[in-house]
Amino acid sequence: MDVKVISKYRLGEAMELGFPFSIFRWTHAPGDLPEVLFRRNFWKLVYVIAGKGSIEINGHEYLLSPGTVLFIHPESETRYRLAETKLEICNLCFLPELIEDRLEKLRDPSGFFSILRPGSSAPPEAVRNLCVQSAPPSVAGLFRKMEREYRSGRNNCREMLRTQLIELLLLLERNACRLRNRRRSGGPEPARTVLAYLAEHLESGVDYEELTLLTGLSRSRLGVLFRRETGENISSAYLRLRLKRAKELLAGEEEFSIPELCRRCGFRDISYFYRRFRREFGTSPRRTAGR
């Protein structure tokens, strides 16, 4: 199959005028895609906004759905495959020289950033790790911020984009490390990871974005797997753990006021706490404390 090389100079004036960065949206439609492989002389980040399909990268196929992020190495040969729906994506293209001075300051125990350095190659494992599925909402939000900043032309716009690009790469590096570790170890069941997280955050509340980062799963997929493994949803499990903790504190030697107990177990509404406690244990918190 033919390979078509896309030059950085086709990406608009920004890439031509000494600022090797561009971000723009594009929509692929079934039937519009040529039967060729594409290769670039720049790096490309792709965020899927809407639609479904797949992309072939160096002979490996990756499914695409809203929330998927791909980090495409210049040496990689790619082509999209669509079935029946359009695919709306956000393309972020850049050259590493844009952030070269900042890359040198980053700790890189995983080697994620080493492939951005001049003369580096892309080993197969690195390419697989760059394909991050089900990115957390923070990644989508950062893409939108960078789109707005790029169009704004405000003072220090270029410096802001450099900073945001580093932030985006750091988020993707963390995701890639988690995915790699899960593949190597077989990974703990999502339910165990979630339950351990809930037990450590009884007072502060659940940050679902953090859970998606910990598990490498989207919120909806995580919810499905958690229910399959435990028979309950995450919010029900969290409520049960908080009530269990409240009962343990009430039965202990240390005395707590009800407002303090609610604070320690993450309840903001005392009336709600009373109702849920009675429903769970068949008695009131005060009677439990008096036993």
Side-chain angles (χ1 to χ4, degrees), residues 1 20 207:
M1 183 175 293
D207 185 336

Side-chain angles (χ1 to χ4, degrees), residues 176-187:
C177 287
R178 290 188 180 95
L179 291 172
R180 183 185 62 236
N181 291 337
R182 286 179 63 202
R183 279 197 295 267
R184 287 178 175 175
S185 65

Side-chain angles (χ1 to χ4, degrees), residues 57-58 60 62 76 121-131 183:
I57 303 178
N58 299 332
H60 296 276
Y62 299 90
S76 294
S121 59
E125 183 181 2
V127 173
R128 287 196 299 273
N129 290 336
L130 294 178
C131 299
R183 279 197 295 267

Side-chain angles (χ1 to χ4, degrees), residues 21-238:
F21 178 94
S22 183
I23 184 169
F24 57 95
R25 295 195 181 199
W26 194 264
T27 299
H28 292 295
D32 292 347
L33 299 172
E35 285 295 317
V36 296
L37 293 169
F38 288 93
R39 191 168 62 229
R40 303 147 194 84
N41 59 359
F42 53 86
W43 285 82
K44 183 178 180 182
L45 279 158
V46 179
Y47 179 78
V48 179
I49 300 169
K52 292 185 178 181
S54 65
I55 185 171
E56 179 185 324
I57 303 178
N58 299 332
H60 296 276
E61 191 168 5
Y62 299 90
L63 296 179
L64 302 176
S65 60
T68 301
V69 172
L70 301 166
F71 193 10
I72 301 176
H73 192 281
E75 294 179 4
S76 294
E77 297 178 354
T78 67
R79 66 169 173 165
Y80 287 101
R81 299 177 185 272
L82 302 182
E84 300 177 354
T85 62
K86 293 182 178 180
L87 187 71
E88 184 182 0
I89 59 176
C90 181
N91 289 315
L92 190 161
C93 308
F94 71 98
L95 295 178
E97 63 195 55
L98 179 70
I99 51 174
E100 189 173 0
D101 58 331
R102 303 191 185 192
L103 287 174
E104 295 175 355
K105 300 175 183 178
L106 296 178
R107 295 178 57 193
D108 192 21
S110 67
F112 180 90
F113 296 106
S114 63
I115 57 175
L116 286 166
R117 296 190 172 92
S120 66
S121 59
E125 183 181 2
V127 173
R128 287 196 299 273
N129 290 336
L130 294 178
C131 299
V132 180
Q133 301 290 332
S134 303
S138 56
V139 170
L142 200 47
F143 266 93
R144 289 193 294 269
K145 284 183 181 179
M146 296 178 79
E147 280 188 277
R148 290 194 297 268
E149 189 67 32
Y150 184 69
R151 292 195 300 265
S152 73
R154 291 177 292 199
N155 290 336
N156 298 312
C157 170
R158 294 184 174 187
E159 287 305 313
M160 178 64 78
L161 287 169
R162 286 190 178 96
T163 299
Q164 290 172 334
L165 179 56
I166 285 290
E167 182 181 353
L168 181 58
L169 291 174
L170 287 169
L171 286 173
L172 295 179
E173 185 266 345
R174 291 179 180 179
N175 261 317
C177 287
R178 290 188 180 95
L179 291 172
R180 183 185 62 236
N181 291 337
R182 286 179 63 202
R183 279 197 295 267
R184 287 178 175 175
S185 65
E189 296 88 346
R192 280 198 328 207
T193 300
V194 171
L195 289 171
Y197 172 89
L198 297 180
E200 294 175 0
H201 295 80
L202 295 179
E203 182 177 336
S204 59
V206 179
D207 185 336
Y208 283 95
E209 182 175 328
E210 189 172 356
L211 276 177
T212 62
L213 284 170
L214 285 172
T215 59
L217 299 168
S218 68
R219 180 171 176 175
S220 59
R221 180 61 177 163
L222 179 59
V224 169
L225 293 179
F226 186 87
R227 177 180 282 277
R228 184 182 300 169
E229 293 178 24
T230 67
E232 60 183 343
N233 59 39
I234 294 175
S235 59
S236 296
Y238 186 54

